[in-house]
Amino acid sequence: MNIATTVKDEIDIEAEDGGSAVHPMFSEAPRSVSFNKLRKRLLRQVRQAMEDFQMLKGQKRWLIGLSGGKDSYGLLALLLDLKWRGLLPVELVACNLDQGQPNFPKHILPEYLTKIGVTHRIEYRDTYSIVKEKVPEGATYCSLCSRLRRGNLYRIAREEGCDALVLGHHREDILETFFMNFFHGGRLASMPAKLLNDEGDLMLLRPLAYAAEDDLAKFATAMQFPIIPCDLCGSQDGLQRNAMKDMLADIERRMPGRKDTMLRALAHVNPSHLLDPKLFDFAGLMAAGSSAEPSDAG
């Protein structure tokens, strides 16, 4: 059973094939049965994540981080789809942070977002040079690059009057992060679907938490998104995340359905069956009839 199964009211996509209005982003989308099934599944999973983690609680305006990759395009499309149907009562602002990467095609995102009528902001900050300067040769750029990007997006969210920063991390991102922490960090932690930032003034939301990367890739291909590759970290081989991705793919090939099982495991934690005394009071755990005081009997 898929983790996202409790949203009751189904979305009627087939009705759109009869000619009813769709968001401009979907004006040239396929009308095939297979695409409609994929689209409905992704919409259902996004709605389930929003319900499970109460993402709409008190929210009025969201900043959507748009990198130009398949996942952030998919996130934007699905949120616009839900808003178009009256199922997402928040304002949406798309934002791309141009990080100064060489040969970055600056025209693609503003032209595309203008074409489909999406409110957006393009922000230039040369974090590329900072990352290249600070990270030693041969080391991975991802950690520093991510921190710099996140800090700028939080700032932009405040400037735009947004309640939340919304990112396109999906099921595989969450699982890969868990295993990176497990194997390399010595801790059980992953990407939460909902997080309060350190300053306590903004939420970080991941509505694609239940969505499979393969589904998002198929969705992006069908929608013909103008994908922009990452020239900073995408060219580096041997990243720890790539190793985790390969491991998970191998497990899924040998035991289909394990990714969904692992994701469910992250939502069903039993602290008394782990080894962290900060999460469970092992010191106070005593059998019936036992005394808390040491015996004075000789």
Side-chain angles (χ1 to χ4, degrees):
M1 180 184 297
N2 191 285
I3 193 167
T5 57
T6 62
V7 169
K8 299 296 189 299
D9 49 326
E10 285 293 333
I11 291 174
D12 185 8
I13 287 175
E14 286 78 5
E16 295 178 357
D17 296 338
S20 59
V22 296
H23 189 277
M25 199 169 190
F26 288 87
S27 61
E28 299 178 7
R31 293 294 185 262
S32 65
V33 172
S34 61
F35 177 76
N36 283 343
K37 286 183 177 178
L38 171 64
R39 182 176 170 188
K40 287 177 70 173
R41 179 165 64 251
L42 288 169
L43 287 169
R44 185 176 65 249
Q45 290 168 338
V46 168
R47 294 182 70 205
Q48 188 68 59
M50 289 180 181
E51 180 179 302
D52 287 351
F53 299 100
Q54 295 292 293
M55 292 185 184
L56 293 175
K57 192 173 183 179
Q59 300 293 307
K60 296 180 180 178
R61 187 172 169 92
W62 287 358
L63 186 78
I64 305 170
L66 190 65
S67 67
K70 69 180 190 314
D71 305 325
S72 61
Y73 271 127
L75 171 67
L76 176 63
L78 294 165
L79 294 181
L80 288 172
D81 202 354
L82 290 173
K83 184 171 177 60
W84 189 263
R85 299 167 189 278
L87 298 173
L88 184 61
V90 296
E91 295 182 50
L92 301 176
V93 180
C95 177
N96 172 253
L97 182 65
D98 179 350
Q99 297 179 260
Q101 295 167 273
N103 304 315
F104 182 79
K106 299 176 181 294
H107 64 286
I108 290 181
L109 280 168
E111 288 180 1
Y112 181 72
L113 293 170
T114 300
K115 175 185 173 183
I116 62 175
V118 173
T119 302
H120 62 277
R121 173 171 169 176
I122 308 297
E123 179 85 1
Y124 178 79
R125 283 290 185 275
D126 185 9
T127 63
Y128 175 86
S129 297
I130 297 174
V131 171
K132 294 288 287 185
E133 176 186 346
K134 299 294 184 182
V135 177
E137 188 71 27
T140 59
Y141 302 133
C142 296
S143 179
L144 178 57
C145 180
S146 176
R147 290 199 302 273
L148 293 172
R149 182 172 61 250
R150 185 76 52 82
N152 276 290
L153 288 173
Y154 278 143
R155 171 183 57 79
I156 295 166
R158 295 185 186 99
E159 292 173 359
E160 292 292 331
C162 295
D163 313 293
L165 170 62
V166 188
L167 301 178
H169 296 121
H170 48 65
R171 179 186 70 177
E172 277 70 14
D173 288 323
I174 290 171
L175 292 175
E176 289 160 17
T177 300
F178 173 80
F179 282 106
M180 286 174 66
N181 285 321
F182 184 72
F183 287 125
H184 301 287
R187 60 195 181 106
L188 298 182
S190 187
M191 292 177 172
K194 182 179 181 180
L195 178 72
L196 183 64
N197 71 337
D198 291 341
E199 291 77 13
D201 64 335
L202 288 169
M203 301 302 301
L204 188 150
L205 305 175
R206 296 184 171 100
L208 297 181
Y210 295 156
E213 183 175 16
D214 284 349
D215 278 351
L216 290 166
K218 293 174 186 174
F219 186 68
T221 298
M223 291 288 290
Q224 301 182 59
F225 295 138
I227 303 298
I228 301 174
C230 175
D231 292 329
L232 179 59
C233 59
S235 61
Q236 290 182 292
D237 296 324
L239 298 179
Q240 292 176 353
R241 185 169 292 276
N242 288 345
M244 298 301 103
K245 184 181 293 291
D246 292 342
M247 180 193 73
L248 287 166
D250 181 60
I251 292 172
E252 187 71 15
R253 278 193 298 269
R254 291 186 289 110
M255 295 178 286
R258 292 314 96 188
K259 286 183 179 180
D260 278 337
T261 301
M262 286 186 273
L263 197 67
R264 282 200 300 273
L266 294 181
H268 295 85
V269 179
N270 191 340
S272 68
H273 285 57
L274 296 174
L275 302 176
D276 191 342
K278 297 186 295 298
L279 291 181
F280 186 79
D281 183 16
F282 292 102
L285 188 65
M286 303 180 67
S290 298
S291 172
E293 299 296 330
S295 173
D296 292 331

